[in-house]
Amino acid sequence: MSTTTRRPAGQSGKGAAGKAMPAATAGRNATAKSRQGQRWLAWIFLAPTILGMGLFTLIPIVASVVLAFFRWDIISAPTFVGFDNFSEVVQDPTVRVSFLNTILFVVVAVALQLGLALALAIMVQEKMPSWLRVFFRSAFFFPLILSAASVSIFMRYLFNEQFGVVNWFLSLVGIPAVPWLTTPGGSAAVVILVYVWQNFGFSFLLFIGGLASIPVETYEAAAIDGATGWRKHLHVTLPLLSPTTLVASVMAIISALQVFDQPYVLTRGGPGDSTRTAVMVIFESAFQRLEFGQASAIGVLLTLIIMAITAAQFRLSKRFVFYQ
Amino acid sequence: MTTTTDHGLAGHSPRLSEGLPETASNRRRFNWNFAFRIVLLLLAAALTLGPVLWTLSTSLRSPSESFKLPPSFIPWNPDFTSYGEVFQQLNIFLLVLNSALVTGLIAVGQMVSAALAGYAFAHLKFRGRGALFSIVLATMMVPVQVTIVPVFMLIRGMGLSDTLLALILPAIPTAFGTFLMRQYFMGLPAELAEAASIDGASPWRTFRSVYAPLAMPGMAIVGILAFNFHWNEFFRPLILTISEQNFTLPLGLVSLQGNLGTGSISVVLAGVVLSMIPALVVFMFGQRALQDGLTAGTGK
């Protein structure tokens, strides 16, 4: 891929460079004509994407915001209710709990995901036979290609209280059976573990890329200054990696805020509301209770939170991110 | 694009691993550090791959034995009853067909539409190009869950409720794919177009005969990403399909687990394994492309 980008045009276009000189005037004419052609072609080429996005993304965004101010159950005509949906949603205990759950989930899952990914990326990037490195990278990447629904299906068996493999392993070290999926704390832990298990590979890939772009000279200089082992990573790797960490954390947080598949399949939000997430509540109020206005209001709130967090991260980054 | 492809993900790590100066004290402790590090990494790899191996192995146990502990990780005497059973309990051919149809058409649709739009943004000059591209990028930040209610209504209004088209059409316009293809086309020299136009090629012909063939690897990345994402997709099918004849694989499997309760694990797991096969194929042949695609645009 990168080879094509660096090849000078003259070598790749057959005889193009040779013809350019004598045909200079004809060339100017042709470019003028092709300007016109380019404009037409551009709009034809853009049509599928732009029309599709307008129809299935832009209009729905506007509709979602508008709908948040209406009460509508699809059957009867929508009625304008002002901010009622928002005030009801904010006071609804289930919605409150689900947003709180989501925030707790994001904090714990993202911290685990980034910490694990960073530690593993640093360990994988240090000296080792290259076949082993390829194996580790592939292994950590592997869960990413599976479906979250399928993963949650088999994880439910693994975390089963009586015949689950996890509790069997724990029993080997003398830990009594943990009621994973039947208690609020256990369920939350399972949802977090399953989510992190599947997603840490993505942050891992980003960190691998970031580590590869740190120049060796920096480490050589650090070694001369006497920094070795973990101090080398603390004083050299972490600061130089901070742009990657920012990108990885923004992406991890945005994706964790939208968690749905794992809690839906693993626990259906239970027991009680202990693993109900923001997106689950959107799903339930729209497609189970047919309160489309309220669902939209929750969606708008979630989007605002996502936007606020992203903005805050980039603002904070000005202070903490170190660009070379 | 070029920045993300330079990592050499499948090969050696270019910098950190090599040329670290080994001081005398370093060399003496080196073996211990190395062993400790490898053991930790192996443990992490075992925890990552273990659940999948257990799934494969348990699906090859007979349904009555699937509960038994200690767990097995190597299927010494594989038993294929569960695979027969899953075909009886689920119309798995239909599920696979639906998933393949939905995923295949989305992938092809994304490859074509993203290549066209990406080319327009990269090499064609027209008014409002920058602004339009910013709008396309901005749509990437809006989560699906937020637009799903209006999309659901739009689909109803179009009379596409409970059809496979309801899953396919909204997924074809792709901001990320367009971004990726634009980057890819930007990496191809603009001189190619100038040369072609001097040779008398129309803008269409320039695209068709010069750029499109060179962009195949980029399109492959878009296609593989789309395939992987939509093959595994759960949220949209859950909402946009109603009758079982329109279910995709993940949805069918979740409903199978629901039907069986805690019945026979191995049957459900046989279904899960079958659903993983295409992902495994992608993993074996398209891992590099997938990694490049996933991390595209995050490089510096």
Side-chain angles (χ1 to χ4, degrees):
Chain A
M1 222 171 291
S2 42
T3 53
T4 52
T5 62
R6 281 173 206 144
R7 191 189 302 152
Q11 291 170 14
S12 50
K14 254 184 255 153
K19 267 188 189 171
M21 285 310 279
T25 44
R28 205 176 301 141
N29 240 338
T31 13
K33 222 172 86 189
S34 91
R35 279 276 147 76
Q36 185 91 6
Q38 278 190 29
R39 223 174 309 151
W40 274 106
L41 197 69
W43 290 110
I44 295 169
F45 275 18
L46 288 169
T49 299
I50 299 296
L51 292 179
M53 269 182 194
L55 193 59
F56 293 114
T57 311
L58 294 178
I59 293 177
I61 291 172
V62 176
S64 202
V65 174
V66 172
L67 207 55
F69 295 94
F70 284 83
R71 178 155 296 146
W72 195 29
D73 58 3
I74 271 198
I75 302 149
S76 45
T79 46
F80 182 78
V81 293
F83 281 92
D84 280 10
N85 283 331
F86 289 97
S87 59
E88 277 167 33
V89 155
V90 170
Q91 282 162 16
D92 184 328
T94 310
V95 178
R96 281 187 175 193
V97 169
S98 73
F99 269 79
L100 208 65
N101 287 341
T102 308
I103 289 167
L104 279 176
F105 170 82
V106 170
V107 171
V108 180
V110 171
L112 272 176
Q113 178 180 336
L114 292 181
L116 198 64
L118 179 60
L120 292 173
I122 288 176
M123 288 197 277
V124 165
Q125 284 297 75
E126 285 197 36
K127 219 180 186 86
M128 72 169 70
S130 74
W131 63 267
L132 202 58
R133 178 174 297 128
V134 171
F135 165 73
F136 286 134
R137 282 180 181 176
S138 302
F140 300 150
F141 174 73
F142 182 70
L144 274 180
I145 62 160
L146 303 177
S147 117
S150 300
V151 166
S152 305
I153 289 174
F154 65 68
M155 288 293 192
R156 240 177 79 166
Y157 294 127
L158 284 166
F159 282 100
N160 186 287
E161 191 178 340
Q162 289 113 48
F163 53 83
V165 176
V166 175
N167 274 352
W168 184 81
F169 272 116
L170 291 179
S171 75
L172 294 185
V173 286
I175 298 174
V178 179
W180 289 111
L181 291 164
T182 48
T183 54
S187 302
V190 171
V191 171
I192 289 170
L193 288 175
V194 171
Y195 180 89
V196 171
W197 178 87
Q198 186 162 23
N199 288 286
F200 80 91
F202 182 63
S203 311
F204 171 81
L205 277 186
L206 295 180
F207 282 130
I208 288 276
L211 287 173
S213 67
I214 297 178
V216 203
E217 296 78 33
T218 329
Y219 286 104
E220 285 164 1
I224 291 166
D225 289 346
T228 50
W230 64 272
R231 287 188 35 178
K232 173 183 77 188
H233 292 303
L234 189 66
H235 296 299
V236 180
T237 311
L238 283 185
L240 289 181
L241 207 57
S242 53
T244 309
T245 313
L246 174 71
V247 171
S249 65
V250 171
M251 297 185 93
I253 288 176
I254 291 179
S255 119
L257 276 167
Q258 300 169 42
V259 64
F260 175 83
D261 297 5
Q262 289 90 350
Y264 183 84
V265 177
L266 283 164
T267 64
R268 290 284 143 95
D273 286 332
S274 59
T275 52
R276 207 168 300 282
T277 66
V279 174
M280 281 180 87
V281 173
I282 296 180
F283 168 76
E284 286 163 354
S285 49
F287 301 103
Q288 287 174 0
R289 296 203 307 272
L290 297 182
E291 285 169 349
F292 289 95
Q294 284 200 0
S296 297
I298 304 170
V300 168
L301 288 179
L302 181 65
T303 312
L304 289 177
I305 292 178
I306 290 180
M307 282 162 63
I309 289 177
T310 315
Q313 271 177 314
F314 280 103
R315 192 159 266 255
L316 275 178
S317 78
K318 290 215 178 88
R319 248 200 275 170
F320 299 115
V321 173
F322 178 84
Y323 289 99
Q324 271 177 280
Chain B
M1 175 106 310
T2 47
T3 55
T4 56
T5 55
D6 282 344
H7 303 157
L9 284 166
H12 319 268
S13 87
R15 290 177 178 166
L16 191 52
S17 56
E18 289 144 32
L20 277 184
E22 283 182 33
T23 58
S25 69
N26 230 346
R27 197 171 300 153
R28 223 175 300 135
R29 281 186 322 199
F30 178 72
N31 280 335
W32 276 109
N33 282 340
F34 179 78
F36 183 60
R37 189 154 51 82
I38 297 298
V39 166
L40 275 183
L41 284 170
L42 282 175
L43 188 71
L47 286 174
T48 311
L49 297 178
V52 181
L53 292 177
W54 173 82
T55 301
L56 181 64
S57 162
T58 306
S59 76
L60 292 169
R61 288 175 151 196
S62 71
S64 58
E65 271 194 1
S66 54
F67 289 91
K68 273 195 183 157
L69 291 168
S72 73
F73 287 95
I74 300 163
W76 296 114
N77 329 294
D79 176 298
F80 289 92
T81 2
S82 302
Y83 284 83
E85 192 75 10
V86 80
F87 278 89
Q88 295 201 327
Q89 305 234 7
L90 264 185
N91 195 344
I92 206 145
F93 287 114
L94 191 64
L95 291 176
V96 170
L97 189 73
N98 284 347
S99 272
L101 213 61
V102 168
T103 315
L105 287 174
I106 291 175
V108 171
Q110 285 200 3
M111 285 162 78
V112 172
S113 68
L116 293 175
Y119 182 75
F121 282 127
H123 285 304
L124 298 177
K125 292 187 181 70
F126 58 95
R127 205 182 296 162
R129 183 166 80 165
L132 204 57
F133 186 63
S134 311
I135 294 175
V136 169
L137 285 188
T139 63
M140 265 198 283
M141 278 197 260
V142 183
V144 205
Q145 294 86 352
V146 173
T147 52
I148 192 73
V149 170
V151 165
F152 174 78
M153 288 162 183
L154 202 65
I155 291 291
R156 259 171 63 108
M158 294 165 81
L160 294 175
S161 253
D162 198 21
T163 63
L164 294 182
L165 274 179
L167 293 176
I168 298 166
L169 286 181
I172 288 179
T174 159
F176 189 64
T178 303
F179 166 75
L180 223 94
M181 288 312 296
R182 174 186 176 263
Q183 299 302 97
Y184 199 88
F185 279 116
M186 300 261 276
L188 304 175
E191 287 86 351
L192 288 178
E194 283 162 26
S197 90
I198 285 163
D199 283 350
S202 66
W204 160 252
R205 184 122 179 87
T206 307
F207 169 74
R208 177 71 197 81
S209 318
V210 181
Y211 283 96
L214 291 174
M216 286 303 170
M219 287 172 73
I221 292 181
V222 172
I224 287 174
L225 277 179
F227 184 88
N228 189 58
F229 182 82
H230 291 286
W231 183 267
N232 294 332
E233 203 180 11
F234 181 70
F235 186 71
R236 288 192 323 125
L238 177 69
I239 286 164
L240 297 174
T241 63
I242 297 155
S243 46
E244 260 176 57
Q245 59 177 22
N246 290 320
F247 277 10
T248 54
L249 258 173
L251 209 54
L253 290 172
V254 170
S255 74
L256 174 70
Q257 192 188 35
N259 292 341
L260 291 180
T262 48
S264 52
I265 306 180
S266 56
V267 178
V268 178
L269 293 183
V272 168
V273 170
L274 287 174
S275 80
M276 283 181 192
I277 291 173
L280 280 172
V281 173
V282 168
F283 185 69
M284 281 188 286
F285 297 104
Q287 192 191 155
R288 178 71 186 276
L290 200 58
Q291 291 184 344
D292 285 349
L294 280 172
T295 53
T298 58
K300 293 150 289 287

